[in-house]
Amino acid sequence: METMTFPRYSPDDIISYLRSHILEGAEARNLVKGDVFGNPRLEVLHLIYLRILQKVCGIRLEHAYMMPLNVDIMYPQIHEGFLPVCNLYIHMERLLPMCRISDFQIADVLNPKTKRTVRFLSGILNFVNFREFRREVYLELQQSYVRLVPVEHEAEIKQLTENIRELEQLLRQDYRRKQTALQEVTSQKKTDIAERTQKLNECKVSLATLKEEQEQLKSKIVESPEERKTYNEMMKETIKKLKRSKQEVTEKYEGYRDVVEVLPSCQVELQLYQKKMEIQGENVERLASVSSEARNLEDQLESSQVELKKAKTDEMSLKRVVTAKHEKLATAEIQLQKMREDIEQHKCTVLEHFNKVQEKRGAVYDKVMAIRKEIKQKKDKIEQLKDDAEEKATKAKEIHLILKAVLDKCHESLLKAVKTSAASRAEKIDEIREGLFSIQSSVNAS
């Protein structure tokens, strides 16, 4: 790539050209050499590329931030940060081959090098200068073409050009209006999709937590009945033992009471049995507390079962909500597809209308070319007639000169003849006078 078809500009020339022709206002005033070369600031270099694309290709600012409609992306919000860089690379990759540069890469946008940036900007500036020069030539040719149009066709051509301009303005306005409406619809759909995805993620998180709670409750439900059964059996056995011991104690107490009444010496043993009865009362109280705890555990088990049923119903309702949201997303995708088809159909109609306009323009161009051909033929005839007239005028001048010379000769000969005739006449008159004098003298003499 060292054999270039365009000159290399110095960094200072590039910066001065960018300030005077590409950037405007504060952007041009704040631009320095270090922002583009050496350790460049990516946002400044991206801004310069974007302004060049706006000037040369007519790309608007919103095109750098638009997601293409022909790409199906599930989570477009992930790509919002990289989307301007990607669109800038795509548009620059389309522009630079026209500038005789074919090795532009994404690294030149993300991590630009000074030499490559100088080469890219030199090629772009050369192309911009060439474009401006050819544009001036084209405008001159267009003006000269308009001047060559005959007077009788000027009104028709003006009407056609006005119609074409009106059609172009209408098409642009319609396209911009539909584009803005489509952008609003797509942005609304994006926000709706983002909200729905956020709600879906929240539902998924809540569903996962409910599932975890359900698993915990299931584990509790699975483990607690067995423990409760074993614990209840142990409690029943202890109750039975306590009842037996209580019955035995009561029997022994009644026997000992009868004995005590008879035998006062058994008071010590009776006291011991009283202590045992107190212990048995404590055991009975413990049994009551254990039975109350068992009832509490049964109540907790029943409440956990109720909560499990509620969790199952909530899960079913969440599943219904998720299916409904999937259906809404499917309908939204169908609507987007329909909008894309409508846009494609509108593009086809616009192209057909443009082709018709081009055909009319071609017919007008053919008429104008035929008229120009006729004008050229008439001009050739006029020039030929002028040449014939000039030839005839030269011949007439030559004849006039010849005739003038002949007339001059005739005049000279006439003057000579007049002079000779006058002289001869005078001589004859003198001779006649002399004859008359002689005759008169002879008459007088006789």
Side-chain angles (χ1 to χ4, degrees), residues 119-303:
R119 185 160 59 84
F120 296 151
L121 291 175
S122 298
I124 291 168
L125 298 185
N126 182 70
F127 177 74
V128 171
N129 291 326
F130 174 74
R131 178 174 172 270
E132 293 296 328
F133 175 71
R134 298 309 298 171
R135 186 180 179 186
E136 291 176 359
V137 174
Y138 174 73
L139 291 174
E140 290 178 357
L141 287 173
Q142 191 174 9
Q143 289 177 359
S144 63
Y145 170 73
V146 171
R147 288 169 188 165
L148 289 173
V149 174
V151 178
E152 61 269 14
H153 294 288
E154 282 183 356
E156 186 179 358
I157 289 169
K158 285 182 180 178
Q159 186 67 31
L160 287 172
T161 52
E162 288 177 358
N163 292 329
I164 290 165
R165 287 174 184 171
E166 289 177 358
L167 287 172
E168 287 178 352
Q169 289 178 358
L170 290 172
L171 289 172
R172 286 172 185 166
Q173 291 175 359
D174 193 11
Y175 176 73
R176 287 176 183 173
R177 181 173 55 78
K178 290 188 176 181
Q179 190 176 11
T180 53
L182 183 62
Q183 287 177 0
E184 291 176 357
V185 171
T186 51
S187 62
Q188 186 67 31
K189 294 291 182 183
K190 283 181 180 179
T191 53
D192 293 337
I193 290 167
E195 291 176 357
R196 290 174 182 177
T197 51
Q198 187 177 0
K199 290 181 181 179
L200 183 63
N201 292 325
E202 290 176 357
C203 292
K204 285 181 180 180
V205 171
S206 60
L207 186 63
T209 54
L210 288 172
K211 283 183 178 180
E212 289 178 358
E213 291 177 358
Q214 185 179 1
E215 292 294 330
Q216 292 176 1
L217 291 171
K218 281 182 180 179
S219 62
K220 287 181 180 180
I221 292 165
V222 171
E223 292 175 359
S224 58
E226 295 178 356
E227 292 178 356
R228 292 307 306 157
K229 283 181 181 180
T230 55
Y231 189 74
N232 288 326
E233 287 176 358
M234 289 174 66
M235 288 294 105
K236 285 178 181 179
E237 288 177 358
T238 53
I239 288 166
K240 286 178 181 179
K241 288 179 181 180
L242 289 170
K243 283 181 178 180
R244 286 195 215 100
S245 61
K246 185 179 180 181
Q247 191 176 1
E248 289 175 358
V249 167
T250 52
E251 289 175 357
K252 286 181 180 180
Y253 176 73
E254 288 174 356
Y256 282 126
R257 189 179 58 186
D258 295 331
V259 173
V260 165
E261 290 175 355
V262 179
L263 298 171
S265 61
C266 293
Q267 289 181 355
V268 178
E269 190 175 357
L270 182 61
Q271 289 176 359
L272 292 173
Y273 279 112
Q274 283 179 354
K275 289 180 180 179
K276 286 183 180 181
M277 286 294 294
E278 290 176 358
I279 293 167
Q280 291 296 327
E282 291 176 357
N283 290 328
V284 170
E285 289 177 358
R286 287 178 183 174
L287 179 63
S289 64
V290 168
S291 62
S292 64
E293 287 179 0
R295 284 194 297 273
N296 291 325
L297 287 172
E298 287 176 356
D299 294 334
Q300 289 178 2
L301 181 62
E302 289 178 357
S303 63

Side-chain angles (χ1 to χ4, degrees), residues 73-90:
I73 296 173
M74 188 170 292
Y75 299 105
Q77 60 270 20
I78 298 172
H79 301 268
E80 288 179 355
F82 185 69
L83 189 61
V85 178
C86 185
N87 286 330
L88 181 64
Y89 168 68
I90 291 168

